[in-house]
Amino acid sequence: LASGPLLGSSTISMRSLSLLVASLAMCPSWGLRLGLKMGIEVHNGKHLSAERKQELVATAMAIATPGKGITACDEGPGTVGGRFEEVGVENTEETRRQYRQMLFEAAGADEYLSGAILDPETVYQKSSTSGEVFPEVLKKRGIVPGVKPHLKVYTLPGTGGDTVMQGLDSLAARCNEYYAAGCRFTKWRSPLEIDVSAGRPTQLAIEANMKDLARFALISQDEGLVPIVEPDISLKGVHDLETAVNVNVAVQSCLYKAMLDHGVFMEGTVLKTNMVNPGRDCPTSYTVEEIAEANLQVLRRCMPMAIPTVNYLSGGQSLEDASARLSAMNKAKTNEPWNLSFSWSAAIQLPVLDLCRGAGGALPLEEMEKKYVEALRIASEAAKGAYEWGAGEGSHAGVELKEPIAA
């Protein structure tokens, strides 16, 4: 065909194009040779060795341990520093190391944790208890250590504020170093916002971010690291729950299509996503059960059965609201095959850091450890569908708008 009459010239008439399409339909093998051969060659990690696939599955299944979840400790020095300064704690590398050591070595935390996401700085820091680097400390407790390899967000020109995450350049080399340092998974966040009046997220932003996540996943797996893909749709906005469902389905279906097109080994991946919620300023009220059902609807419509676990981010929700919604999801599950659990940072850590207020700049580590482990216990109960929420927890109370929503 490449040298035949249909494709021999630099331009193709509509009639010739129609004949080509008809020919491909009549002879599927031509389509396989022309358009599908490359897809088949890279399908679902075909390039990976059996040993590599086995390792990736073992890691993903360890993260998917029922009743356990992930402690997200991957905030960069600037972000965690802002949290420290808010409660009167000086932001130094040693203070960050002490704080993270408490999170990793807290007595009883291993009963509730299957994984921990580290910032690159933390990967190479050592415990003052054992002298070992933190990934080794976590491994010995049965907690899988992982790392955040992405860099900074970049605003896409012409989209009205949509962003993409930077860091794919040199990702393979960095993943190789993280694997050697003891990490066994990576996590890449792609933030998006819903603004119906501004037409966001744009299709460009959805496709760019989801293809980046797929490429990140492909590279991570090649270096032996299970990729946690994180499409993160912000709570900001006035959108209703139905809009949130529609946008989340569009985003996640685009993600899985991109992952399949890239040849990502799906059984060796984990999804970390936002909970499907109405916008924080949505005027319509919803019960916790309605919000839980909306999340299950999104999964049922597009989530591959091959991915073993969904570890939801908290994304600005309180521990009580996030736990109520996660528990309600697990209570409402029928025959869905996925483990539904948590990968929380702020919901767990902000109440812990509040104990530093009025402590003269010190970290009251013993008190913080107790509150931290109690928060993990609550999250674990939610992951088992056993958390019993109080009145109003997990529901959304409609917010009176100052201005009407633009059509």
Side-chain angles (χ1 to χ4, degrees):
L1 277 173
S3 60
L6 293 179
L7 300 181
S9 61
S10 59
T11 58
I12 304 175
S13 69
M14 288 301 296
R15 180 175 179 275
S16 297
L17 186 59
S18 299
L19 287 171
L20 174 60
V21 172
S23 299
L24 292 175
M26 293 174 61
C27 187
S29 63
W30 288 6
L32 289 174
R33 290 197 297 270
L34 285 172
L36 301 180
K37 184 178 179 182
M38 183 59 73
I40 290 174
E41 286 178 348
V42 301
H43 178 69
N44 205 41
K46 186 177 180 182
H47 59 289
L48 299 171
S49 67
E51 292 76 19
R52 177 69 86 204
K53 286 185 175 182
Q54 186 176 13
E55 180 185 16
L56 293 170
V57 168
T59 298
M61 294 308 295
I63 294 171
T65 301
K68 293 189 175 185
I70 299 171
T71 184
C73 315
D74 57 317
E75 302 87 1
T79 301
V80 74
R83 293 180 182 180
F84 280 172
E85 291 163 9
E86 179 71 20
V87 296
V89 174
E90 185 181 4
N91 180 28
T92 67
E93 183 177 352
E94 175 57 18
T95 306
R96 295 192 296 271
R97 190 203 64 78
Q98 291 177 14
Y99 175 62
R100 262 66 186 264
Q101 179 170 322
M102 181 275 295
L103 299 178
F104 302 150
E105 296 185 357
D110 53 333
E111 296 178 32
Y112 312 117
L113 292 176
S114 59
I117 311 173
L118 282 60
D119 181 73
E121 174 187 73
T122 316
V123 171
Y124 301 101
Q125 290 177 327
K126 294 182 179 180
S127 165
S128 62
T129 305
S130 65
E132 296 174 311
V133 292
F134 285 136
E136 189 62 27
V137 170
L138 290 163
K139 281 183 183 178
K140 288 185 174 180
R141 303 196 72 191
I143 302 170
V144 183
V147 65
K148 171 196 70 180
H150 63 67
L151 302 178
K152 301 292 185 181
V153 294
Y154 172 77
T155 301
L156 280 171
T159 62
D162 281 334
T163 61
V164 289
M165 190 67 74
Q166 300 177 90
L168 285 172
D169 292 345
S170 77
L171 177 61
R174 284 179 285 125
C175 284
N176 184 275
E177 293 174 2
Y178 296 142
Y179 186 93
C183 296
R184 289 299 176 265
F185 70 86
T186 48
K187 189 273 295 184
W188 186 287
R189 173 175 172 260
S190 290
L192 296 166
E193 293 182 3
I194 298 175
D195 184 341
V196 176
S197 63
R200 296 175 52 216
T202 59
Q203 189 62 31
L204 169 63
I206 293 174
E207 291 182 5
N209 277 283
M210 298 310 106
K211 288 178 180 178
D212 282 354
L213 281 174
R215 199 144 51 109
F216 146 75
L218 188 70
I219 294 168
S220 291
Q221 288 185 335
D222 200 50
E223 298 298 334
L225 298 163
V226 165
I228 296 183
V229 290
E230 182 184 359
D232 177 8
I233 299 176
S234 171
L235 264 178
K236 290 169 58 178
V238 298
H239 53 276
D240 59 20
L241 191 57
E242 182 181 6
T243 299
V245 168
N246 293 340
V247 173
N248 276 271
V249 168
V251 168
Q252 289 190 32
S253 59
C254 183
L255 169 62
Y256 307 134
K257 175 66 164 58
M259 291 170 71
L260 291 168
D261 286 347
H262 279 70
V264 173
F265 177 48
M266 302 298 277
E267 288 82 351
T269 64
V270 169
L271 173 68
K272 174 175 179 174
T273 187
N274 56 279
M275 289 189 186
V276 180
N277 280 307
R280 185 183 286 116
D281 296 319
C282 173
T284 306
S285 296
Y286 297 96
T287 66
V288 63
E289 291 85 1
E290 288 173 326
I291 292 173
E293 181 60 27
N295 279 271
L296 293 175
Q297 284 177 8
V298 171
L299 295 181
R300 290 167 185 153
R301 291 174 187 177
C302 56
M303 175 74 173
M305 292 178 65
I307 299 177
T309 182
V310 183
N311 290 73
Y312 287 96
L313 58 94
S314 54
Q317 301 170 99
S318 67
L319 176 63
E320 293 76 17
D321 282 345
S323 297
R325 290 162 182 166
L326 178 58
S327 191
M329 285 183 231
N330 278 297
K331 288 178 184 290
K333 277 175 64 177
T334 52
N335 60 348
E336 291 84 5
W338 313 287
N339 178 63
L340 304 183
S341 189
F342 62 92
S343 177
W344 295 344
S345 171
I348 289 174
Q349 293 184 42
L350 291 186
V352 172
L353 286 169
D354 274 342
L355 295 173
C356 299
R357 295 182 188 275
L363 293 172
L365 293 173
E366 289 188 13
E367 294 177 64
M368 296 172 77
E369 179 177 322
K370 290 178 182 177
K371 195 169 187 68
Y372 172 62
V373 174
E374 174 59 18
L376 291 178
R377 185 194 66 78
I378 291 171
S380 172
E381 289 294 293
K384 294 183 284 191
Y387 176 73
E388 299 299 335
W389 55 88
E393 289 182 357
S395 61
H396 172 78
V399 177
E400 184 177 352
L401 296 178
K402 296 180 181 178
E403 299 178 2
I405 302 174

